[in-house]
Amino acid sequence: FEPQLVRIPAGKFLMGTTKEQAEKAIKDGMDKDWIQNEQPQHPVELSEYFIGKYPITNREYQAFIKDTKYKPPQGWDGDQFPSEKGGHPVVNVSWEDATSYCKWLSEKSGKSYRLPAEAEWEKAARGEKGLVYPWSDEFDPKKANTDEAKIGDTSEVGQFSPQGDSPYGCVDMAGNVWEWCADWFDAKEYKKHKDA
């Protein structure tokens, strides 16, 4: 029931997006407002940490639901996830649901699990050099479940691995589903680093 983890080494990385990367990403179809909230790019130093290699699947989340009688996500039939989606990432979970899952996982395993901070998630996804996508600065619709892949739904975690993996080997860090972080979004956060 424990997720496979990837070690992310201590050290600096470039967080955020340069003006040039943002312009190119917008041309590739990324949301303008979203990408502009990630500027300016700035160095961040983190201690070593571990992060899940894959998004949490319906099958993994089901163990939590069955053990705790926690309210299942929308679209489930009681404690049963949608048919044939056991290996798909769990969806329709709130931040509170995700943190409750982490608390349960910590109690069951005797280890400490939590949501990653945004900086931790970003380093795991983009590597030390602040790539635009986990695999490079160039968009490739064959490396992630995006609109361009024309799947129209979630896909099995790892379907685009290893070609779509991050520099550290993390899977599905672009496309498929949005993922929760421990810290709250602040549209002004990057502006604080303007002169960094």
Side-chain angles (χ1 to χ4, degrees):
F1 67 89
E2 286 187 71
Q4 186 176 343
L5 301 178
V6 172
R7 177 187 164 271
I8 310 297
K12 287 185 179 179
F13 80 105
L14 293 174
M15 184 169 179
T17 307
T18 66
K19 183 178 178 188
E20 295 77 20
Q21 286 175 325
E23 288 169 357
K24 184 173 183 335
I26 291 165
K27 282 183 186 173
D28 288 343
M30 246 188 227
D31 182 80
K32 182 179 179 180
D33 293 332
W34 180 74
I35 198 82
Q36 288 179 339
N37 284 330
E38 291 197 341
Q39 293 179 43
Q41 189 174 73
H42 57 280
V44 173
E45 187 158 358
L46 296 175
S47 300
E48 175 187 78
Y49 62 98
F50 290 81
I51 193 167
K53 181 175 177 74
Y54 303 94
I56 299 301
T57 65
N58 285 312
R59 193 173 293 111
E60 290 169 317
Y61 198 74
Q62 182 185 46
F64 162 62
I65 297 294
K66 285 186 170 186
D67 189 53
T68 64
K69 309 297 184 232
Y70 196 87
K71 181 183 172 194
Q74 181 183 353
W76 286 39
D77 184 10
D79 62 9
Q80 295 299 309
F81 51 79
S83 177
E84 300 179 16
K85 288 196 173 186
H88 288 231
V90 66
V91 296
N92 297 322
V93 293
S94 68
W95 185 87
E96 289 80 9
D97 297 338
T99 56
S100 293
Y101 172 81
C102 290
K103 182 179 178 189
W104 169 82
L105 189 58
S106 297
E107 290 169 357
K108 290 300 269 188
S109 67
K111 300 173 188 169
S112 180
Y113 286 95
R114 62 173 174 78
L115 294 175
E118 180 186 0
E120 292 169 331
W121 189 94
E122 187 165 332
K123 182 177 182 182
R126 299 173 69 183
E128 293 175 6
K129 297 177 182 169
L131 298 171
V132 175
Y133 305 99
W135 53 85
S136 76
D137 283 337
E138 299 298 320
F139 179 71
D140 185 339
K142 295 182 185 99
K143 294 185 177 181
N145 181 354
T146 61
D147 287 344
E148 294 78 9
K150 300 194 184 322
I151 294 172
D153 197 357
T154 58
S155 55
E156 187 100 8
V157 300
Q159 179 175 328
F160 293 89
S161 186
Q163 69 272 18
D165 292 357
S166 79
Y168 297 108
C170 295
V171 175
D172 290 350
M173 300 293 277
N176 214 0
V177 295
W178 289 89
E179 297 183 48
W180 288 113
C181 289
D183 37 359
W184 294 100
F185 174 73
D186 178 358
K188 298 176 185 170
E189 177 63 29
Y190 282 75
K191 305 300 183 237
K192 297 174 189 172
H193 302 282
K194 189 170 185 179
D195 299 318

